[in-house]
Amino acid sequence: MERSLRKLNYASYTQGNKSGKLLASKLRAKRLHTKITQVECSRGGQVRDPTLIVSEFAHYYGSLYNLGSDPAVPSPQKENISTFLEEARLPTLSSSQQVDLLAPFSEEEISKAICALPKGKAPGPDGLTNLYYQKFASELTPTLTGLFNHIKLTGQVPPEMLLATVITLPKPGKPPTHCANFRPISLLNVDIKLYAKLLASRIAPLLPKLIHPDQTGFVPGR
């Protein structure tokens, strides 16, 4: 018995994090637990076909987040938005602060953002991980610098950067047959997260001057 336990511990220690039978068996059990075999249809009944299940989730989240355009609800016009912001008299940045905020991204900024990427995060649809960007940072930084500056100048983001893989995690204690009983997580590509990180890093020092002191969330030092 003791020998069997030592052998099991040895196998778990040496093979637990490697691509082999032990890891495959663990992943298989986890996959069976999270696999969605059927969901309740919004029109009644249940659907079991994988394609219909995906369509049902897409319809549910599309309705939940109001992704569709409702012709009965008028869209705000740019002129109305500008008028509202002018009348609100919100805090504004100085001319020098605006110039610094809109300055082109430098390779040093992007290199620092790549180095700060956390380890072990799941990649987006393109399959490129944080480790990939860090491993080839010297080769990728010039290309990313040109891309990010083009996006900031034109306001146009390549469609492939905006793709995401949506993972649904079952909520504990609730039957996994309703779309509402799953929590969605969007896995984004690293390039779009890098661009967001660059914008956040630039605006972070200015937030205390723009946001009221009563607001403490997401403001450095509060």
Side-chain angles (χ1 to χ4, degrees):
M1 182 67 178
E2 184 178 352
R3 182 180 178 183
S4 299
L5 288 175
R6 286 202 304 267
K7 186 177 180 180
L8 179 61
N9 291 335
Y10 175 78
S12 300
Y13 178 77
T14 57
Q15 303 295 329
N17 61 345
K18 296 181 180 179
S19 298
K21 292 183 178 180
L22 180 61
L23 181 59
S25 63
K26 293 181 178 180
L27 293 177
R28 190 181 302 111
K30 184 177 181 181
R31 191 180 300 113
L32 291 174
H33 177 69
T34 57
K35 184 178 180 180
I36 304 173
T37 57
Q38 62 183 26
V39 294
E40 297 289 339
C41 182
S42 57
R43 297 176 296 276
Q46 294 182 339
V47 292
R48 293 178 172 82
D49 184 86
T51 304
L52 296 179
I53 291 176
V54 172
S55 299
E56 195 63 33
F57 271 99
H59 177 267
Y60 172 76
Y61 289 120
S63 303
L64 180 64
Y65 297 120
N66 298 319
L67 300 180
S69 57
D70 188 353
V73 179
S75 301
Q77 303 297 320
K78 290 185 178 180
E79 295 77 10
N80 297 336
I81 296 175
S82 299
T83 301
F84 171 79
L85 294 176
E86 291 174 0
E87 295 177 352
R89 297 183 180 180
L90 299 173
T92 58
L93 300 176
S94 64
S95 300
S96 60
Q97 289 174 330
Q98 294 180 31
V99 171
D100 293 339
L101 193 62
L102 296 176
F105 294 118
S106 65
E107 291 189 6
E108 183 181 0
E109 283 182 281
I110 296 176
S111 180
K112 288 182 179 179
I114 293 176
C115 292
L117 290 172
K119 301 288 192 303
K121 295 293 184 178
D126 61 9
L128 302 178
T129 63
N130 293 349
L131 182 60
Y132 167 83
Y133 279 84
Q134 292 173 338
K135 184 71 174 179
F136 300 100
S138 58
E139 292 85 354
L140 295 174
T141 298
T143 302
L144 291 174
T145 303
L147 172 63
F148 292 159
N149 283 323
H150 176 75
I151 293 174
K152 188 163 66 66
L153 182 64
T154 62
Q156 297 179 355
V157 182
E160 56 270 18
M161 286 183 62
L162 300 178
L163 297 177
T165 300
V166 178
I167 305 297
T168 53
L169 301 179
K171 297 179 181 179
K174 296 187 177 181
T177 54
H178 296 272
C179 296
N181 294 340
F182 290 85
R183 181 165 59 93
I185 295 179
S186 297
L187 303 181
L188 303 175
N189 291 327
V190 177
D191 49 9
I192 194 65
K193 290 193 287 187
L194 277 174
Y195 184 68
K197 188 175 183 65
L198 289 171
L199 297 178
S201 299
R202 280 202 174 183
I203 202 173
L206 305 174
L207 291 181
K209 302 177 182 178
L210 299 175
I211 299 178
H212 194 276
D214 290 345
Q215 173 65 48
T216 59
F218 310 106
V219 181
R222 293 188 185 175

